């Protein structure tokens, strides 16, 4: 599934459970069906309006996005 980045931010002061992963980027993505979901970004940094694909899910069902080339 793919979509377009609606907004994004980088987390530097992470919650205790994710301190070892900081800094990391999260994004709200508008999917092809019009719904918006929040997920983590892996790989290249994304910006607003970039196209992304869901490449995986974290344990809590949080999608992992990757920038499309």
């Amino acid at each position: 599934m793919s979509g377009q980045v609606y907004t994004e931010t980088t987390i530097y002061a992470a919650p205790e459970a994710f301190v070892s992963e900081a800094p990391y980027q999260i994004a709200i993505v508008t999917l092809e069906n019009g719904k918006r979901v929040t997920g983590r970004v892996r790989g290249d940094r994304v910006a607003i309006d970039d196209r992304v694909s869901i490449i995986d899910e974290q344990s809590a069902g949080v999608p992992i996005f990757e920038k499309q080339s």
Side-chain angles (χ1 to χ4, degrees):
M1 185 175 289
S2 63
Q4 188 170 7
V5 176
Y6 174 73
T7 191
E8 57 76 30
T9 192
T10 300
I11 306 297
Y12 293 96
E16 190 173 318
F18 302 104
V19 167
S20 65
E21 299 175 35
Y24 56 89
Q25 189 177 30
I26 61 171
I28 297 175
V29 174
T30 305
L31 301 175
E32 294 168 336
N33 63 9
K35 293 182 180 181
R36 289 190 177 142
V37 296
T38 301
R40 296 275 300 264
V41 177
R42 188 177 291 160
D44 293 339
R45 185 167 167 73
V46 299
I48 293 172
D49 293 332
D50 281 349
R51 299 286 307 165
V52 294
S53 295
I54 295 176
I55 59 166
D56 202 357
E57 277 191 11
Q58 284 187 319
S59 60
V62 176
I64 306 290
F65 294 102
E66 183 174 71
K67 187 175 183 177
Q68 293 180 352
S69 321

